[in-house]
Amino acid sequence: MSLAITRTRIYIGIQAQPITVEVHLSNGLPAFTIVGLPEKAVQESRERVRSALTNCQFEFPAKRITVSLAPADLPKEGGGFDLPIAIGILAASKQVSDRHLADIELIGELALSGEIRPVKGILPIAIGCAKDDKQLFLPADNHAEASLVNNLNCYPSRYLLAVTAHLNDVEKITLPESSDFPDIIPASHPDLADIKGQAH
């Protein structure tokens, strides 16, 4: 069956809404369609994903590709859907194993080279993953923030190939110690009491 399901999240305020990414490959004229209220940056992920897969030496399926972002009535924005869409296409085309996909969530913007770029709002996303007992694959530059969340296995990566190697059980991404990353909270930071007019 040429259907694969990956999972991700979007942040809305301080909450993270789970999003199911369904990828279906069917016969017909080659096309790449994303449905589910995607805004411009999400629509543009078609070109980023296509180039990233090609430059990483994967075969981009010459089929009709339909990507559904559910729930369909919730607006989707940002580049964080690139990684789950790419993995969904690879799983649907049998280039990546799908046996781990039910237990993980993915987020990250893809460069045309296959590099994984950081995204915004990673803290509420990490909190949501921890509550739902999911593992999170995320950009390496976002790991410092996500590591603030307890009871969450984060797999940071800088490249799409590292994620696919992990999912195919070729080379696992190691879980880094939190001390491997810089502290994102400064030692001294402003106090709201110092703001003029705070008494009002």
Side-chain angles (χ1 to χ4, degrees):
M1 181 173 62
S2 300
L3 175 68
I5 297 175
T6 60
R7 291 165 179 82
T8 187
R9 289 177 190 263
I10 58 173
Y11 70 95
I12 304 174
I14 60 172
Q15 302 295 327
Q17 170 71 39
I19 301 294
T20 301
V21 180
E22 301 168 310
V23 179
H24 181 242
L25 308 183
S26 59
N27 294 326
L29 292 175
F32 191 170
T33 306
I34 300 177
V35 299
L37 285 184
E39 54 95 47
K40 186 67 173 175
V42 181
Q43 288 283 6
E44 291 172 346
S45 72
R46 293 175 298 181
E47 304 308 321
R48 292 192 297 273
V49 168
R50 186 194 310 271
S51 295
L53 293 183
T54 302
N55 287 324
C56 289
Q57 306 303 310
F58 290 107
E59 178 185 351
F60 191 82
K63 292 180 175 288
R64 184 176 184 84
I65 303 172
T66 304
V67 177
S68 175
L69 307 176
D73 59 347
L74 187 66
K76 319 300 187 307
E77 60 182 24
F81 291 97
D82 291 1
L83 184 58
I85 289 174
I87 296 299
I89 291 174
L90 293 175
S93 59
K94 310 304 180 187
Q95 299 180 74
V96 164
S97 171
D98 62 355
R99 61 180 173 273
H100 301 301
L101 295 184
D103 301 319
I104 69 172
E105 295 189 11
L106 306 116
I107 189 164
E109 179 182 329
L110 289 176
L112 302 187
S113 62
E115 181 182 358
I116 303 176
R117 293 173 171 162
V119 296
K120 297 179 180 178
I122 204 69
L123 187 57
I125 290 169
I127 293 172
C129 285
K131 287 182 178 179
D132 291 345
D133 197 26
K134 300 289 186 181
Q135 302 174 46
L136 178 61
F137 286 74
L138 76 170
D141 290 339
N142 285 130
H143 185 269
E145 186 176 353
S147 66
L148 298 173
V149 179
N150 294 325
N151 303 317
L152 174 65
N153 286 339
C154 293
Y155 293 92
S157 178
R158 296 194 182 278
Y159 298 98
L160 172 62
L161 283 172
V163 177
T164 57
H166 181 102
L167 295 177
N168 283 332
D169 295 322
V170 174
E171 184 177 351
K172 292 294 187 179
I173 300 172
T174 58
L175 290 171
E177 299 292 336
S178 58
S179 58
D180 292 344
F181 293 85
D183 187 358
I184 64 170
I185 302 176
S188 61
H189 49 277
D191 192 315
L192 288 177
D194 298 330
I195 299 176
K196 184 177 181 180
Q198 186 73 6
H200 295 294

CSV table of all heavy atoms in Angstrom, one decimal, residues 59-119:
chain,number,residue,atom,x,y,z
A,59,GLU,N,15.1,8.5,-4.7
A,59,GLU,CA,14.3,8.6,-5.9
A,59,GLU,C,13.0,9.3,-5.5
A,59,GLU,O,12.2,8.9,-4.7
A,59,GLU,CB,13.9,7.2,-6.4
A,59,GLU,CG,13.1,7.2,-7.6
A,59,GLU,CD,12.6,5.8,-8.1
A,59,GLU,OE1,13.2,4.8,-7.5
A,59,GLU,OE2,11.8,5.7,-9.0
A,60,PHE,N,12.7,10.4,-6.2
A,60,PHE,CA,11.5,11.1,-6.0
A,60,PHE,C,10.4,10.5,-6.9
A,60,PHE,O,10.6,10.4,-8.1
A,60,PHE,CB,11.6,12.6,-6.4
A,60,PHE,CG,10.4,13.4,-6.0
A,60,PHE,CD1,10.3,13.9,-4.7
A,60,PHE,CD2,9.4,13.7,-6.9
A,60,PHE,CE1,9.2,14.6,-4.3
A,60,PHE,CE2,8.3,14.4,-6.5
A,60,PHE,CZ,8.2,14.9,-5.2
A,61,PRO,N,9.3,10.0,-6.3
A,61,PRO,CA,8.4,9.1,-7.0
A,61,PRO,C,7.7,9.9,-8.2
A,61,PRO,O,7.2,11.0,-8.0
A,61,PRO,CB,7.3,8.8,-5.9
A,61,PRO,CG,8.0,9.0,-4.6
A,61,PRO,CD,9.0,10.1,-4.9
A,62,ALA,N,7.7,9.3,-9.3
A,62,ALA,CA,7.0,9.9,-10.5
A,62,ALA,C,5.6,9.5,-10.5
A,62,ALA,O,5.1,8.8,-11.4
A,62,ALA,CB,7.7,9.5,-11.8
A,63,LYS,N,4.9,9.9,-9.4
A,63,LYS,CA,3.5,9.5,-9.2
A,63,LYS,C,2.7,10.7,-8.8
A,63,LYS,O,3.2,11.8,-8.6
A,63,LYS,CB,3.4,8.4,-8.2
A,63,LYS,CG,4.0,7.0,-8.6
A,63,LYS,CD,3.8,6.0,-7.4
A,63,LYS,CE,4.3,4.7,-7.9
A,63,LYS,NZ,3.4,4.0,-8.8
A,64,ARG,N,1.4,10.5,-8.6
A,64,ARG,CA,0.6,11.5,-8.1
A,64,ARG,C,0.7,11.5,-6.5
A,64,ARG,O,0.2,10.5,-5.9
A,64,ARG,CB,-0.9,11.3,-8.5
A,64,ARG,CG,-1.8,12.4,-8.1
A,64,ARG,CD,-3.2,12.2,-8.6
A,64,ARG,NE,-4.1,13.4,-8.3
A,64,ARG,CZ,-4.1,14.5,-8.9
A,64,ARG,NH1,-3.4,14.7,-10.0
A,64,ARG,NH2,-4.9,15.5,-8.5
A,65,ILE,N,1.3,12.5,-6.0
A,65,ILE,CA,1.5,12.5,-4.5
A,65,ILE,C,0.5,13.5,-3.9
A,65,ILE,O,0.4,14.6,-4.2
A,65,ILE,CB,2.9,13.0,-4.2
A,65,ILE,CG1,4.0,12.1,-4.9
A,65,ILE,CG2,3.2,13.1,-2.7
A,65,ILE,CD1,5.4,12.7,-4.8
A,66,THR,N,-0.3,12.9,-2.9
A,66,THR,CA,-1.2,13.7,-2.2
A,66,THR,C,-0.8,13.7,-0.7
A,66,THR,O,-0.7,12.6,-0.1
A,66,THR,CB,-2.6,13.2,-2.3
A,66,THR,OG1,-3.0,13.1,-3.7
A,66,THR,CG2,-3.6,14.1,-1.6
A,67,VAL,N,-0.6,14.9,-0.1
A,67,VAL,CA,-0.3,15.0,1.3
A,67,VAL,C,-1.5,15.7,2.0
A,67,VAL,O,-1.9,16.8,1.6
A,67,VAL,CB,1.0,15.9,1.5
A,67,VAL,CG1,1.3,16.1,3.0
A,67,VAL,CG2,2.2,15.2,0.8
A,68,SER,N,-2.0,15.0,3.0
A,68,SER,CA,-3.1,15.6,3.7
A,68,SER,C,-2.7,15.9,5.2
A,68,SER,O,-2.1,15.0,5.8
A,68,SER,CB,-4.3,14.6,3.8
A,68,SER,OG,-5.3,15.1,4.6
A,69,LEU,N,-2.9,17.2,5.6
A,69,LEU,CA,-2.5,17.6,6.9
A,69,LEU,C,-3.8,17.7,7.8
A,69,LEU,O,-4.6,18.5,7.5
A,69,LEU,CB,-1.8,19.0,6.9
A,69,LEU,CG,-0.6,19.1,5.9
A,69,LEU,CD1,-0.1,20.5,5.9
A,69,LEU,CD2,0.5,18.1,6.3
A,70,ALA,N,-3.9,16.8,8.7
A,70,ALA,CA,-5.2,16.7,9.5
A,70,ALA,C,-4.9,17.1,10.9
A,70,ALA,O,-3.8,16.9,11.5
A,70,ALA,CB,-5.7,15.3,9.5
A,71,PRO,N,-5.9,17.8,11.6
A,71,PRO,CA,-7.2,18.1,11.1
A,71,PRO,C,-7.2,19.2,10.0
A,71,PRO,O,-6.5,20.2,10.0
A,71,PRO,CB,-7.9,18.6,12.4
A,71,PRO,CG,-6.8,19.2,13.3
A,71,PRO,CD,-5.7,18.3,13.0
A,72,ALA,N,-8.1,19.0,9.0
A,72,ALA,CA,-8.1,19.8,7.8
A,72,ALA,C,-8.6,21.2,8.0
A,72,ALA,O,-8.3,22.1,7.2
A,72,ALA,CB,-9.0,19.1,6.8
A,73,ASP,N,-9.3,21.5,9.1
A,73,ASP,CA,-9.9,22.8,9.3
A,73,ASP,C,-9.0,23.7,10.1
A,73,ASP,O,-9.3,24.9,10.4
A,73,ASP,CB,-11.3,22.7,10.0
A,73,ASP,CG,-11.2,22.0,11.4
A,73,ASP,OD1,-10.1,21.4,11.7
A,73,ASP,OD2,-12.2,22.1,12.1
A,74,LEU,N,-7.8,23.2,10.5
A,74,LEU,CA,-6.8,24.0,11.3
A,74,LEU,C,-5.8,24.6,10.3
A,74,LEU,O,-5.1,23.8,9.7
A,74,LEU,CB,-6.2,23.2,12.3
A,74,LEU,CG,-5.3,23.9,13.4
A,74,LEU,CD1,-6.1,24.8,14.2
A,74,LEU,CD2,-4.6,22.9,14.2
A,75,PRO,N,-5.6,25.9,10.3
A,75,PRO,CA,-4.6,26.5,9.4
A,75,PRO,C,-3.2,26.0,9.7
A,75,PRO,O,-2.8,25.9,10.9
A,75,PRO,CB,-4.7,28.0,9.6
A,75,PRO,CG,-6.1,28.2,10.1
A,75,PRO,CD,-6.4,27.0,10.9
A,76,LYS,N,-2.4,25.7,8.7
A,76,LYS,CA,-1.0,25.2,8.9
A,76,LYS,C,0.0,26.2,8.4
A,76,LYS,O,-0.2,26.7,7.3
A,76,LYS,CB,-0.8,23.8,8.2
A,76,LYS,CG,-1.9,22.8,8.2
A,76,LYS,CD,-2.3,22.4,9.6
A,76,LYS,CE,-3.3,21.3,9.6
A,76,LYS,NZ,-4.5,21.5,8.9
A,77,GLU,N,1.0,26.5,9.2
A,77,GLU,CA,1.9,27.5,8.7
A,77,GLU,C,3.3,27.1,9.2
A,77,GLU,O,3.5,26.3,10.1
A,77,GLU,CB,1.6,28.9,9.2
A,77,GLU,CG,1.6,29.0,10.7
A,77,GLU,CD,1.2,30.4,11.2
A,77,GLU,OE1,0.5,31.2,10.4
A,77,GLU,OE2,1.5,30.8,12.4
A,78,GLY,N,4.3,27.7,8.5
A,78,GLY,CA,5.7,27.4,8.8
A,78,GLY,C,6.4,26.3,8.0
A,78,GLY,O,5.7,25.6,7.3
A,79,GLY,N,7.7,26.2,8.2
A,79,GLY,CA,8.4,25.2,7.4
A,79,GLY,C,8.7,23.9,8.1
A,79,GLY,O,9.3,23.0,7.6
A,80,GLY,N,8.1,23.8,9.3
A,80,GLY,CA,8.3,22.6,10.1
A,80,GLY,C,7.7,21.3,9.5
A,80,GLY,O,8.1,20.2,10.0
A,81,PHE,N,6.9,21.4,8.5
A,81,PHE,CA,6.2,20.3,7.9
A,81,PHE,C,7.2,19.6,6.9
A,81,PHE,O,6.9,18.4,6.5
A,81,PHE,CB,4.9,20.6,7.2
A,81,PHE,CG,3.9,21.1,8.2
A,81,PHE,CD1,3.6,22.4,8.4
A,81,PHE,CD2,3.1,20.1,8.8
A,81,PHE,CE1,2.6,22.8,9.3
A,81,PHE,CE2,2.1,20.5,9.7
A,81,PHE,CZ,1.8,21.8,10.0
A,82,ASP,N,8.3,20.2,6.5
A,82,ASP,CA,9.1,19.6,5.5
A,82,ASP,C,9.6,18.2,5.9
A,82,ASP,O,9.5,17.3,5.1
A,82,ASP,CB,10.4,20.5,5.3
A,82,ASP,CG,10.0,21.8,4.6
A,82,ASP,OD1,8.8,22.1,4.4
A,82,ASP,OD2,11.0,22.6,4.4
A,83,LEU,N,10.1,18.1,7.1
A,83,LEU,CA,10.7,16.8,7.5
A,83,LEU,C,9.6,15.7,7.5
A,83,LEU,O,9.9,14.6,7.0
A,83,LEU,CB,11.4,16.9,8.8
A,83,LEU,CG,12.2,15.6,9.3
A,83,LEU,CD1,13.2,15.2,8.3
A,83,LEU,CD2,12.8,15.9,10.7
A,84,PRO,N,8.5,15.9,8.2
A,84,PRO,CA,7.5,14.8,8.2
A,84,PRO,C,6.9,14.5,6.8
A,84,PRO,O,6.6,13.3,6.5
A,84,PRO,CB,6.4,15.3,9.1
A,84,PRO,CG,6.6,16.8,9.3
A,84,PRO,CD,8.1,17.0,9.1
A,85,ILE,N,6.8,15.5,5.9
A,85,ILE,CA,6.4,15.2,4.6
A,85,ILE,C,7.4,14.4,3.8
A,85,ILE,O,7.1,13.4,3.1
A,85,ILE,CB,6.1,16.5,3.8
A,85,ILE,CG1,4.8,17.2,4.4
A,85,ILE,CG2,5.9,16.3,2.3
A,85,ILE,CD1,4.5,18.6,3.8
A,86,ALA,N,8.7,14.8,3.9
A,86,ALA,CA,9.8,14.0,3.3
A,86,ALA,C,9.8,12.6,3.7
A,86,ALA,O,9.9,11.6,2.9
A,86,ALA,CB,11.1,14.7,3.5
A,87,ILE,N,9.8,12.4,5.0
A,87,ILE,CA,9.8,11.0,5.6
A,87,ILE,C,8.5,10.2,5.1
A,87,ILE,O,8.6,9.0,4.8
A,87,ILE,CB,9.9,11.0,7.1
A,87,ILE,CG1,11.3,11.6,7.5
A,87,ILE,CG2,9.8,9.6,7.7
A,87,ILE,CD1,12.5,10.9,7.0
A,88,GLY,N,7.4,10.9,5.1
A,88,GLY,CA,6.2,10.2,4.6
A,88,GLY,C,6.3,9.8,3.2
A,88,GLY,O,5.9,8.7,2.8
A,89,ILE,N,6.9,10.6,2.3
A,89,ILE,CA,7.1,10.2,0.9
A,89,ILE,C,8.0,9.0,0.8
A,89,ILE,O,7.8,8.1,0.0
A,89,ILE,CB,7.6,11.4,0.1
A,89,ILE,CG1,6.5,12.5,-0.1
A,89,ILE,CG2,8.1,11.0,-1.3
A,89,ILE,CD1,7.0,13.8,-0.7
A,90,LEU,N,9.1,9.1,1.6
A,90,LEU,CA,10.1,8.0,1.5
A,90,LEU,C,9.5,6.7,2.1
A,90,LEU,O,9.8,5.6,1.5
A,90,LEU,CB,11.3,8.4,2.3
A,90,LEU,CG,12.2,9.5,1.7
A,90,LEU,CD1,13.3,9.8,2.7
A,90,LEU,CD2,12.7,9.1,0.4
A,91,ALA,N,8.6,6.8,3.1
A,91,ALA,CA,8.0,5.6,3.6
A,91,ALA,C,7.0,5.0,2.7
A,91,ALA,O,6.9,3.8,2.5
A,91,ALA,CB,7.4,5.9,5.0
A,92,ALA,N,6.2,5.9,2.1
A,92,ALA,CA,5.2,5.5,1.1
A,92,ALA,C,5.8,4.8,-0.1
A,92,ALA,O,5.2,3.9,-0.7
A,92,ALA,CB,4.3,6.6,0.7
A,93,SER,N,7.0,5.3,-0.5
A,93,SER,CA,7.7,4.7,-1.7
A,93,SER,C,8.6,3.6,-1.3
A,93,SER,O,9.5,3.1,-2.1
A,93,SER,CB,8.4,5.8,-2.4
A,93,SER,OG,9.4,6.4,-1.6
A,94,LYS,N,8.6,3.1,0.0
A,94,LYS,CA,9.3,2.0,0.5
A,94,LYS,C,10.9,2.3,0.5
A,94,LYS,O,11.7,1.3,0.5
A,94,LYS,CB,9.1,0.7,-0.3
A,94,LYS,CG,7.6,0.4,-0.5
A,94,LYS,CD,6.9,0.3,0.9
A,94,LYS,CE,5.4,0.0,0.7
A,94,LYS,NZ,4.6,0.0,1.9
A,95,GLN,N,11.3,3.5,0.6
A,95,GLN,CA,12.7,3.8,0.7
A,95,GLN,C,13.1,4.0,2.1
A,95,GLN,O,14.3,4.0,2.4
A,95,GLN,CB,13.0,5.1,-0.1
A,95,GLN,CG,12.7,5.0,-1.6
A,95,GLN,CD,13.0,6.3,-2.4
A,95,GLN,OE1,14.2,6.6,-2.6
A,95,GLN,NE2,12.0,7.0,-2.7
A,96,VAL,N,12.2,4.1,3.0
A,96,VAL,CA,12.4,4.2,4.4
A,96,VAL,C,11.4,3.3,5.1
A,96,VAL,O,10.3,3.2,4.8
A,96,VAL,CB,12.3,5.6,4.9
A,96,VAL,CG1,12.2,5.7,6.5
A,96,VAL,CG2,13.5,6.5,4.5
A,97,SER,N,11.9,2.6,6.2
A,97,SER,CA,11.0,1.7,6.9
A,97,SER,C,9.9,2.5,7.7
A,97,SER,O,10.2,3.6,8.2
A,97,SER,CB,11.8,0.9,7.9
A,97,SER,OG,10.9,0.2,8.8
A,98,ASP,N,8.7,2.0,7.8
A,98,ASP,CA,7.7,2.7,8.5
A,98,ASP,C,7.4,2.1,9.8
A,98,ASP,O,6.4,2.5,10.5
A,98,ASP,CB,6.4,2.7,7.6
A,98,ASP,CG,5.8,1.3,7.4
A,98,ASP,OD1,6.5,0.3,7.7
A,98,ASP,OD2,4.8,1.2,6.7
A,99,ARG,N,8.2,1.1,10.3
A,99,ARG,CA,7.9,0.4,11.5
A,99,ARG,C,8.0,1.2,12.8
A,99,ARG,O,7.4,0.9,13.8
A,99,ARG,CB,8.7,-0.9,11.6
A,99,ARG,CG,10.2,-0.7,11.7
A,99,ARG,CD,10.9,-2.0,11.8
A,99,ARG,NE,12.4,-1.9,11.7
A,99,ARG,CZ,13.0,-1.9,10.6
A,99,ARG,NH1,12.4,-2.0,9.5
A,99,ARG,NH2,14.3,-1.8,10.6
A,100,HIS,N,8.7,2.3,12.7
A,100,HIS,CA,8.9,3.2,13.9
A,100,HIS,C,8.0,4.4,13.9
A,100,HIS,O,7.9,5.2,14.9
A,100,HIS,CB,10.4,3.7,14.0
A,100,HIS,CG,11.4,2.6,14.1
A,100,HIS,ND1,11.4,1.6,15.1
A,100,HIS,CD2,12.4,2.3,13.3
A,100,HIS,CE1,12.4,0.8,14.9
A,100,HIS,NE2,13.0,1.2,13.8
A,101,LEU,N,7.3,4.7,12.8
A,101,LEU,CA,6.6,5.9,12.6
A,101,LEU,C,5.5,6.2,13.6
A,101,LEU,O,5.1,7.3,13.9
A,101,LEU,CB,6.1,6.1,11.2
A,101,LEU,CG,7.1,6.1,10.1
A,101,LEU,CD1,6.5,6.3,8.7
A,101,LEU,CD2,8.2,7.2,10.4
A,102,ALA,N,4.9,5.1,14.1
A,102,ALA,CA,3.7,5.3,15.0
A,102,ALA,C,4.2,5.9,16.4
A,102,ALA,O,3.4,6.4,17.1
A,102,ALA,CB,3.0,4.0,15.3
A,103,ASP,N,5.5,5.7,16.7
A,103,ASP,CA,6.0,6.1,18.0
A,103,ASP,C,6.8,7.4,18.0
A,103,ASP,O,7.3,7.9,19.0
A,103,ASP,CB,6.9,5.0,18.6
A,103,ASP,CG,6.2,3.7,18.7
A,103,ASP,OD1,5.0,3.7,19.1
A,103,ASP,OD2,6.8,2.7,18.4
A,104,ILE,N,6.9,8.1,16.8
A,104,ILE,CA,7.7,9.3,16.8
A,104,ILE,C,7.0,10.4,16.2
A,104,ILE,O,5.9,10.3,15.5
A,104,ILE,CB,9.0,9.0,15.9
A,104,ILE,CG1,8.6,8.8,14.4
A,104,ILE,CG2,9.7,7.8,16.4
A,104,ILE,CD1,9.8,8.8,13.5
A,105,GLU,N,7.5,11.6,16.4
A,105,GLU,CA,7.0,12.8,15.8
A,105,GLU,C,8.3,13.5,15.2
A,105,GLU,O,9.4,13.4,15.7
A,105,GLU,CB,6.3,13.8,16.8
A,105,GLU,CG,5.0,13.1,17.3
A,105,GLU,CD,4.2,14.1,18.1
A,105,GLU,OE1,4.5,15.3,18.1
A,105,GLU,OE2,3.2,13.6,18.8
A,106,LEU,N,8.0,14.2,14.0
A,106,LEU,CA,9.1,14.8,13.3
A,106,LEU,C,8.8,16.3,13.1
A,106,LEU,O,7.6,16.7,12.8
A,106,LEU,CB,9.4,14.2,12.0
A,106,LEU,CG,9.6,12.6,12.0
A,106,LEU,CD1,8.5,12.0,11.2
A,106,LEU,CD2,10.9,12.3,11.4
A,107,ILE,N,9.8,17.1,13.1
A,107,ILE,CA,9.6,18.5,12.8
A,107,ILE,C,11.0,19.1,12.3
A,107,ILE,O,12.0,18.7,12.8
A,107,ILE,CB,9.1,19.4,14.0
A,107,ILE,CG1,8.7,20.8,13.5
A,107,ILE,CG2,10.1,19.4,15.2
A,107,ILE,CD1,7.8,21.5,14.5
A,108,GLY,N,10.9,20.0,11.3
A,108,GLY,CA,12.1,20.6,10.8
A,108,GLY,C,11.9,21.1,9.4
A,108,GLY,O,11.2,20.5,8.6
A,109,GLU,N,12.6,22.2,9.1
A,109,GLU,CA,12.5,22.7,7.7
A,109,GLU,C,13.7,22.2,7.0
A,109,GLU,O,14.8,22.1,7.5
A,109,GLU,CB,12.6,24.3,7.8
A,109,GLU,CG,12.6,24.9,6.4
A,109,GLU,CD,12.8,26.4,6.5
A,109,GLU,OE1,12.3,27.0,7.4
A,109,GLU,OE2,13.4,27.0,5.6
A,110,LEU,N,13.5,21.8,5.7
A,110,LEU,CA,14.6,21.3,4.9
A,110,LEU,C,15.2,22.3,4.0
A,110,LEU,O,14.5,23.0,3.3
A,110,LEU,CB,14.1,20.1,4.1
A,110,LEU,CG,13.7,18.8,4.8
A,110,LEU,CD1,13.2,17.8,3.8
A,110,LEU,CD2,14.9,18.2,5.6
A,111,ALA,N,16.6,22.3,4.0
A,111,ALA,CA,17.3,23.1,2.9
A,111,ALA,C,17.3,22.2,1.7
A,111,ALA,O,17.0,21.0,1.7
A,111,ALA,CB,18.7,23.4,3.4
A,112,LEU,N,17.6,22.8,0.5
A,112,LEU,CA,17.6,22.1,-0.7
A,112,LEU,C,18.6,21.0,-0.7
A,112,LEU,O,18.5,20.0,-1.4
A,112,LEU,CB,17.8,23.0,-1.9
A,112,LEU,CG,16.8,24.2,-2.1
A,112,LEU,CD1,17.1,24.9,-3.4
A,112,LEU,CD2,15.4,23.7,-2.0
A,113,SER,N,19.6,21.1,0.1
A,113,SER,CA,20.7,20.1,0.2
A,113,SER,C,20.3,19.0,1.1
A,113,SER,O,21.0,18.0,1.2
A,113,SER,CB,22.0,20.8,0.8
A,113,SER,OG,21.7,21.3,2.1
A,114,GLY,N,19.2,19.1,1.9
A,114,GLY,CA,18.9,18.0,2.8
A,114,GLY,C,19.2,18.4,4.2
A,114,GLY,O,19.0,17.6,5.2
A,115,GLU,N,19.8,19.5,4.5
A,115,GLU,CA,20.1,20.0,5.8
A,115,GLU,C,18.8,20.3,6.5
A,115,GLU,O,17.9,20.8,5.9
A,115,GLU,CB,21.0,21.2,5.8
A,115,GLU,CG,21.4,21.7,7.1
A,115,GLU,CD,22.3,23.0,7.1
A,115,GLU,OE1,22.6,23.4,5.9
A,115,GLU,OE2,22.6,23.5,8.1
A,116,ILE,N,18.8,20.1,7.8
A,116,ILE,CA,17.6,20.3,8.6
A,116,ILE,C,17.7,21.6,9.4
A,116,ILE,O,18.7,21.8,10.2
A,116,ILE,CB,17.2,19.2,9.6
A,116,ILE,CG1,17.1,17.9,8.8
A,116,ILE,CG2,16.0,19.5,10.4
A,116,ILE,CD1,16.9,16.7,9.7
A,117,ARG,N,16.9,22.6,9.1
A,117,ARG,CA,17.0,23.9,9.7
A,117,ARG,C,16.1,24.1,10.9
A,117,ARG,O,15.0,23.4,11.0
A,117,ARG,CB,16.7,25.0,8.7
A,117,ARG,CG,17.7,25.1,7.6
A,117,ARG,CD,17.3,26.1,6.5
A,117,ARG,NE,18.3,26.3,5.5
A,117,ARG,CZ,18.1,26.8,4.3
A,117,ARG,NH1,16.9,27.1,3.9
A,117,ARG,NH2,19.2,27.0,3.5
A,118,PRO,N,16.4,24.9,11.9
A,118,PRO,CA,15.6,25.1,13.1
A,118,PRO,C,14.2,25.7,12.8
A,118,PRO,O,14.1,26.4,11.8
A,118,PRO,CB,16.4,25.9,14.0
A,118,PRO,CG,17.3,26.7,13.1
A,118,PRO,CD,17.6,25.8,11.9
A,119,VAL,N,13.3,25.5,13.7
A,119,VAL,CA,11.9,26.0,13.6
A,119,VAL,C,11.6,26.8,14.9
A,119,VAL,O,12.3,26.6,15.9
A,119,VAL,CB,10.9,24.9,13.3
A,119,VAL,CG1,11.2,24.3,11.9
A,119,VAL,CG2,10.9,23.9,14.4
